[in-house]
Amino acid sequence: MKYRLRFSKTGRLRYISHLDLMRLFTRAFRRAGVQLRYSEGFNPHPRISCAQPLSLGAEGVSEYLDIEVVGVENNLVDRLNAELPEGLRVAQAAGLPAENASRAAAIVRWADYEVRFMRSSLNACPSAIEERVVREKWTPSEKTKALTEFLAQGEIWVDKKSKKRRQTAQRTNIRPLIDRFEILYHSENTEYHNEDTVAAACGFRLRLATGSAAHLSPILALQAYFKYLGIPLDESSLNITRLNLYDWQMRPLL
Amino acid sequence: MTKQTDEKKTIEWAALETLLAKVEKPGRYIGGEYQAIIKEKADVRFGFAFPDQYEIGMSSLGLQILYEILNQQADIACERLFAPAPDMEEEMRRVGLPLFTLETRTKAAALDLLGFSLQYELSYTNVLNMLDLAGLPLLAVERGDEHPLILAGGPCVFNPEPVADFFDCFAIGDGEEILLDLIAAYKESRQLGEGRAELLHRLAKISGLYVPSLYEPVYLDNGRLQGHRPLVPGLPAQIKKRLVMDLDQFKHPQNPIVPFIETVHDRAVVELFRGCTRGCRFCQAGMIYRPVRERSSDGIFDLASELIDCSGYDELSLLSLATNDYSDIENLIDRLMKLGRQRQVALSLPSLRLDAFSFKVLDEIQKYKKTGLTFAPEAGTQRLRDVINKTITEEDIYGGLEQAFQLGWTTVKLYFMIGLPTEEDDDIDGIAAMAANIVKLGRQVLGKNFGRMNLTVSVSHFVPKPHTPFQWFPQNHRALLIKKIERLQEAFRTLRGGVRLQYHDPAQSHIEAILAKGGRETSAIILQAWKNGARFDSWREYFDYDRWLQAASDSGVDSDFYALRDLSTAEYLPWEIIDTGVDKEYLAAEWEKAGRAEWTPDCRQGCTACGVNRLGFGVCPSYSKPTTAMAAQTPLKEGRADV
Ligand code: SF4
């Protein structure tokens, strides 16, 4: 039987890689007594796969995991949560009726992200964009204007490193891969409202193409925007949260 | 005074998090793994420090065992610390973040006790680096009541002298009981309001603990050591190692921490036994952990099944110095294989001797995935193998390999050492000759599959170790080792058919010898090397020989006094402050026999009177009356298959 799970990966667990996560899940399934089906062949692997790997350092609020188990399982959510460490929670599990149901990885097309500049008690480093916004006393409408102009470009060309040939970067037009690109302001986020660090103030909401056919990482999208603004971007100060994943009809995967 | 995790004693997650985005493998520093134990409040906070990176430290069974034992005590919190990788160290120093524990992010300097596990000598500069990152004075004499007590254990402390200046106290032998005794004494001392000096006096009286500041090395006119003089009355002249005789009393680890990130040994591990009876003359573990102490077969089985249930690992490995020596091995492996089939757990058996039974087992557990076979002949000729008392014969290896090739194995790795006592060019050539014979055998047996054969010959440089029959042997000079490697390379050049020759860095081995056999003066070299920037010396990419040579000359210490000098069996050696139970006379007799290429049998076949049975542990479990027929017995077959 195939199941799809929706889970979140937050807190400290954002610092473990996709492979670490797969290992972690495999072990948690074993502890919970859920028998995964294994692939055949010389090097059998458990049949378990994610809709789209989350990059190291990013949080995911609605992530999806497809599994294939021997037989039928009940109460997967509670049984798994009992075996998962803090930072990993399964919210929903659903059986995929058709044996030949497409894997989440095959149907995922879009992803929503929220990107914020990280706050730090040690080195309060205001992001360059906010520095400039403050220095030049940009109004929110001016910020929006810059963004509107950025998006109004018919084509946005960047050097995209291909996974297979790490060395060679490909010129890619990423404009079609951007569906939404919005700036988040102080007032929209009461949570950060009273912070005195400017760094906490600025963030972005993005909807970008994802999946094996066409993929744009939020970092690459922001790099392009900051390059357009002529402002350096410190990638290590970005706090990325993937909010959800959708199919081609913009339906969440579960 | 109860230490708690209040603000000043811990670092904030947010402070750590700003660094995590900048370093490789941030998962090393986050803690919170499955079955990690977090105690917000504890009477005694004990830091278990492993002076290498997380992936290596977390593969240590000793860490998992002691972590569990200490944390079972309600009033003790045992927390882990590892050496941050160079990129993390740089970030920590840049923002002034001190070394912290993974569990509660307690600053190392705020711990009550901080114990280092010393598994290899080349980790010594990491200890200093960690103390420095903790903001602690490196030298024991510079630390006071406000600092944690700095301890060390592990195989390296069987010669504690090279690092004696850095530690307050050493725990010699198995840690299970000794650490609890130590902590109990610590608590009592604290209750009585004693200072550090009184605490150290207390500890020095506990069996198995060595407080180096309470002993003074005494030198002869010629600069050689005469002995160690206790500075206060009532201290033992020698520190006897502490051992756990009944391992079944300590069923650990039952709930090991399951790391988030992949570690070197990412699997469930059960220990079969400690100690070894084979008596290889170069092997320190084989001498210092005598006598053999086995876990019961039922105990191992129970532990294994609990372990795989609670961890979710899909691989189980058995740990010991020579798996086949375990008394009930066939029965145990049969049961474990059944368990493995039930729970879909792969069994991995290191140090397996290649006999008929092993092949049956290997064939079953490797049905799908045939990993490599490993042999450790250690030396290239039978004569030299007799010298080192390694009883594997070439017939064993060829016979085993023939069978292995027939069963479909194609990947083979052989381990050798060069720079052994009495070694000649013939012995070096013998290594290449063996490789050539295996290639020939592979061609015969594998036929058209010969192209898939993958033979690796790994050559390391012999480093004489304290408390072994070879402790008196001067290590080969680096120049000589290089010549020997060149000779090997030359011989291998003519070999065709997928043979790879791997060898270690002789410079690293030279430093290892200095650190292994040095006396107290060696501390100055280590300190200077660290100041010169040395750390992660066991990592080829970080090791810098010049730093060490410079350190030796800066500190004005004759670094090679013990490492490269032909030592006399009559002289007192720095590590004689530690009593392993094996008599010096026995080691000397073995050293002499080695010179005559004379073989000593495995003492399971009859006691060879090493002396350890007199250490006061009761009867040596492997003890049996010496038999006169002893010499006539054939050596046990041996070989290794790491699967
Ligand atoms: S006392 Fe005898 S049986 Fe025991 S370890 Fe030593 S040689 Fe072996």
Side-chain angles (χ1 to χ4, degrees):
Chain A
M1 179 74 179
K2 287 182 180 175
Y3 291 89
R4 179 162 302 158
L5 312 181
R6 185 163 61 83
F7 68 94
S8 59
K9 180 186 180 227
T10 57
R12 75 173 100 213
L13 281 204
R14 69 168 60 195
Y15 296 107
I16 71 166
S17 72
H18 173 66
L19 279 179
D20 295 333
L21 181 70
M22 292 298 106
R23 241 193 324 269
L24 194 162
F25 265 124
T26 309
R27 288 172 186 161
F29 281 119
R30 297 182 71 98
R31 293 195 295 261
V34 177
Q35 216 185 332
L36 294 174
R37 227 181 242 290
Y38 275 71
S39 63
E40 327 246 300
F42 280 106
N43 206 349
H45 277 292
R47 292 196 192 270
I48 167 171
S49 69
C50 258
Q52 175 70 28
L54 194 58
S55 60
L56 189 73
E59 282 186 325
V61 176
S62 281
E63 295 290 307
Y64 300 90
L65 184 79
D66 284 358
I67 60 167
E68 219 181 306
V69 304
V70 179
V72 177
E73 297 288 350
N74 293 312
N75 203 11
L76 270 176
V77 174
D78 291 341
R79 280 164 68 200
L80 260 175
N81 281 337
E83 302 298 335
L84 291 174
E86 193 190 315
L88 211 53
R89 277 291 159 273
V90 176
Q92 199 185 347
L96 301 181
E99 259 310 293
N100 58 355
S102 300
R103 290 184 311 126
I107 57 171
V108 66
R109 290 290 179 277
W110 296 97
D112 277 353
Y113 301 91
E114 189 175 296
V115 183
R116 293 193 174 276
F117 288 96
M118 220 187 277
R119 291 174 302 155
S120 146
S121 59
L122 264 186
N123 53 341
C125 50
S127 65
I129 184 169
E130 276 302 315
E131 236 175 46
R132 182 164 157 196
V133 167
V134 171
R135 194 174 61 237
E136 298 178 6
K137 297 200 173 56
W138 286 14
T139 60
S141 68
E142 273 174 310
K143 278 205 229 176
T144 314
K145 194 167 145 251
L147 181 60
T148 314
E149 283 166 9
F150 167 69
L151 293 174
Q153 304 175 94
E155 295 175 349
I156 302 171
W157 290 92
V158 300
D159 286 329
K160 204 173 160 190
K161 278 190 202 127
S162 73
K163 253 194 190 152
K164 278 174 200 139
R165 288 162 294 149
R166 267 172 195 282
Q167 313 308 329
T168 54
Q170 265 179 300
R171 290 294 286 169
T172 313
N173 173 20
I174 60 165
R175 184 61 191 88
L177 309 183
I178 302 174
D179 183 65
R180 272 168 71 182
F181 198 124
E182 295 158 10
I183 296 179
L184 300 173
Y185 302 105
H186 293 261
S187 51
E188 288 175 16
N189 297 279
T190 44
E191 170 192 358
Y192 293 119
H193 195 61
N194 289 323
E195 291 291 335
D196 47 13
T197 53
V198 235
C202 189
F204 300 89
R205 178 71 67 92
L206 310 170
R207 177 169 292 169
L208 307 173
T210 198
S212 49
H215 183 81
L216 178 60
S217 77
I219 297 243
L220 208 59
L222 287 177
Q223 274 172 344
Y225 178 52
F226 275 69
K227 199 173 157 207
Y228 177 78
L229 293 175
I231 297 174
L233 173 68
D234 173 14
E235 287 153 33
S236 68
S237 70
L238 296 179
N239 190 340
I240 299 171
T241 305
R242 186 153 72 189
L243 301 173
N244 210 338
L245 292 157
Y246 309 95
D247 65 8
W248 64 284
Q249 289 176 304
M250 285 302 175
R251 288 180 310 206
L253 299 187
L254 198 69
Chain B
M1 179 193 69
T2 300
K3 290 201 181 175
Q4 291 177 6
T5 57
D6 62 52
E7 288 276 324
K8 275 184 227 146
K9 288 180 177 147
T10 60
I11 63 158
E12 280 174 58
W13 172 251
L16 170 62
E17 197 164 25
T18 53
L19 308 189
L20 293 180
K22 299 192 170 94
V23 299
E24 258 185 57
K25 296 207 190 163
R28 290 164 171 163
Y29 313 107
I30 59 179
E33 304 95 321
Y34 187 73
Q35 302 199 129
I37 295 165
I38 290 155
K39 296 184 182 175
E40 291 301 334
K41 285 208 170 101
D43 198 19
V44 176
R45 219 167 271 283
F46 183 100
F48 192 109
F50 196 99
D52 210 319
Q53 293 186 17
Y54 178 90
E55 294 93 313
I56 298 175
M58 281 310 293
S59 302
S60 153
L61 183 65
L63 181 150
Q64 298 269 18
I65 291 176
L66 296 175
Y67 184 80
E68 200 166 289
I69 288 179
L70 293 183
N71 276 318
Q72 268 176 358
Q73 308 292 316
D75 52 349
I76 301 175
C78 176
E79 312 196 358
R80 294 159 299 148
L81 305 100
F82 300 95
D87 64 340
M88 182 64 170
E89 182 195 337
E90 199 186 314
E91 290 297 324
M92 287 169 71
R93 289 192 188 276
R94 190 174 59 77
V95 300
L97 194 76
L99 188 72
F100 57 92
T101 65
L102 291 187
E103 276 73 8
T104 54
R105 287 189 302 281
T106 297
K107 294 174 186 171
L111 293 163
D112 297 304
L113 305 111
L114 178 57
F116 284 85
S117 167
L118 302 183
Q119 300 290 324
Y120 31 88
E121 295 83 359
L122 290 175
S123 66
Y124 289 168
T125 52
N126 281 358
V127 172
L128 295 187
N129 205 39
M130 287 171 79
L131 290 176
D132 185 63
L133 275 168
L136 291 167
L138 305 185
L139 297 174
V141 288
E142 290 171 5
R143 292 191 292 262
D145 291 348
E146 71 277 24
H147 297 120
L149 202 68
I150 311 295
L151 318 164
C156 290
V157 304
F158 279 83
N159 179 14
E161 292 303 280
V163 283
D165 286 355
F166 311 127
F167 292 99
D168 300 308
C169 180
F170 293 95
I172 317 292
D174 295 332
E176 279 94 340
E177 293 167 339
I178 202 171
L179 272 180
L180 291 177
D181 287 357
L182 190 155
I183 293 173
Y186 171 83
K187 276 167 58 184
E188 198 179 322
S189 170
R190 193 173 61 184
Q191 239 154 35
L192 295 172
E194 292 179 355
R196 201 175 190 83
E198 288 123 310
L199 170 62
L200 290 176
H201 283 142
R202 229 173 231 285
L203 297 181
K205 297 206 172 91
I206 295 175
S207 152
L209 293 183
Y210 172 49
V211 176
S213 58
L214 297 182
Y215 289 83
E216 182 185 54
V218 184
Y219 297 93
L220 296 164
D221 290 342
N222 61 6
R224 292 188 186 179
L225 207 52
Q226 188 182 21
H228 283 83
R229 181 170 49 213
L231 295 175
V232 285
L235 295 188
Q238 262 191 315
I239 316 298
K240 281 193 166 88
K241 74 176 175 195
R242 280 273 290 272
L243 288 187
V244 172
M245 290 310 283
D246 181 9
L247 293 180
D248 282 329
Q249 264 190 302
F250 296 95
K251 279 197 162 189
H252 298 291
Q254 279 178 22
N255 299 289
I257 300 167
V258 183
F260 288 135
I261 67 170
E262 195 169 10
T263 57
V264 179
H265 299 297
D266 209 8
R267 54 180 93 106
V269 183
V270 191
E271 186 186 33
L272 299 186
F273 61 92
R274 291 184 196 168
C276 181
T277 52
R278 297 185 162 251
C280 298
R281 291 174 180 136
F282 56 85
C283 179
Q284 191 185 36
M287 295 292 160
I288 63 179
Y289 293 128
R290 283 179 178 222
V292 162
R293 293 144 291 144
E294 294 191 343
R295 285 184 190 279
S296 71
S297 183
D298 287 341
I300 293 168
F301 183 82
D302 290 348
L303 201 49
S305 46
E306 276 166 44
L307 206 52
I308 55 183
D309 282 350
C310 81
S311 67
Y313 278 119
D314 58 4
E315 193 181 341
L316 172 72
S317 174
L318 302 182
L319 187 85
S320 55
L321 289 167
T323 309
N324 285 73
D325 287 354
Y326 183 69
S327 331
D328 194 27
I329 191 67
E330 301 205 358
N331 171 37
L332 177 67
I333 289 185
D334 270 343
R335 288 174 73 192
L336 288 176
M337 283 207 302
K338 255 178 226 131
L339 181 75
R341 276 194 297 269
Q342 265 169 26
R343 314 270 173 98
Q344 289 187 301
V345 170
L347 196 59
S348 105
L349 301 171
S351 317
L352 201 63
R353 192 168 64 230
L354 289 185
D355 54 18
F357 171 75
S358 303
F359 272 111
K360 204 186 89 202
V361 172
L362 291 181
D363 195 36
E364 166 155 358
I365 65 184
Q366 297 218 344
K367 273 233 167 70
Y368 297 107
K369 202 164 75 177
K370 285 198 163 57
T371 51
L373 288 181
T374 315
F375 293 86
E378 308 290 7
T381 59
Q382 192 57 50
R383 183 201 66 81
L384 192 53
R385 284 192 294 275
D386 288 343
V387 168
I388 64 176
N389 212 42
K390 182 87 191 183
T391 49
I392 190 169
T393 68
E394 271 170 66
E395 288 68 51
D396 295 339
I397 294 174
Y398 301 147
L401 274 179
E402 188 172 348
Q403 223 177 329
F405 288 149
Q406 279 160 0
L407 289 169
W409 267 279
T410 49
T411 304
V412 181
K413 190 164 184 178
L414 300 178
Y415 286 100
F416 290 96
M417 283 187 283
I418 58 172
L420 288 163
T422 77
E423 187 176 66
E424 303 281 350
D425 284 350
D426 282 356
D427 302 303
I428 305 287
D429 298 343
I431 296 174
M434 261 171 99
N437 286 336
I438 291 171
V439 170
K440 215 167 88 193
L441 186 73
R443 188 168 284 142
Q444 278 166 15
V445 182
L446 290 170
K448 62 181 190 322
N449 282 336
F450 175 66
R452 275 202 268 139
M453 190 173 103
N454 182 343
L455 173 64
T456 306
V457 174
S458 172
V459 177
S460 63
H461 309 290
F462 174 56
V463 179
K465 290 284 163 94
H467 303 291
T468 66
F470 288 173
Q471 64 180 357
W472 293 283
F473 178 65
Q475 189 186 37
N476 278 185
H477 281 75
R478 183 167 154 266
L480 181 56
L481 289 171
I482 291 174
K483 256 206 203 125
K484 290 180 176 177
I485 296 173
E486 283 166 359
R487 189 179 176 92
L488 257 183
Q489 284 174 323
E490 196 51 46
F492 270 78
R493 207 156 287 150
T494 58
L495 279 181
R496 279 171 301 129
V499 188
R500 265 195 319 153
L501 176 64
Q502 284 175 354
Y503 46 88
H504 289 238
D505 179 357
Q508 247 172 330
S509 305
H510 178 205
I511 302 305
E512 186 184 331
I514 294 171
L515 301 183
K517 287 199 345 188
R520 230 177 242 207
E521 63 290 340
T522 312
S523 291
I525 305 177
I526 300 169
L527 183 61
Q528 190 56 45
W530 171 76
K531 284 183 182 159
N532 293 355
R535 61 212 60 178
F536 290 110
D537 294 302
S538 61
W539 297 59
R540 219 167 179 167
E541 61 262 53
Y542 299 126
F543 177 79
D544 183 346
Y545 191 43
D546 291 336
R547 252 179 215 153
W548 279 96
L549 296 182
Q550 189 60 45
S553 87
D554 290 351
S555 56
V557 175
D558 178 5
S559 58
D560 297 331
F561 188 72
Y562 290 105
L564 300 184
R565 184 164 59 90
D566 198 354
L567 306 179
S568 144
T569 51
E571 76 181 277
Y572 180 91
L573 299 169
W575 49 92
E576 286 182 37
I577 182 67
I578 304 299
D579 181 8
T580 67
V582 177
D583 297 334
K584 188 177 183 181
E585 295 71 35
Y586 179 80
L587 296 179
E590 281 293 295
W591 178 220
E592 247 181 70
K593 284 172 88 180
R596 299 192 301 267
E598 208 177 288
W599 168 70
T600 297
D602 187 314
C603 69
R604 272 177 210 259
Q605 302 175 348
C607 177
T608 55
C610 76
V612 83
N613 57 324
R614 284 186 274 107
L615 198 59
F617 300 131
V619 180
C620 180
S622 48
Y623 181 85
S624 57
K625 279 252 157 58
T627 56
T628 41
M630 201 168 68
Q633 280 162 352
T634 49
L636 287 176
K637 280 197 174 177
E638 188 187 355
R640 273 182 20 165
D642 286 326
V643 261

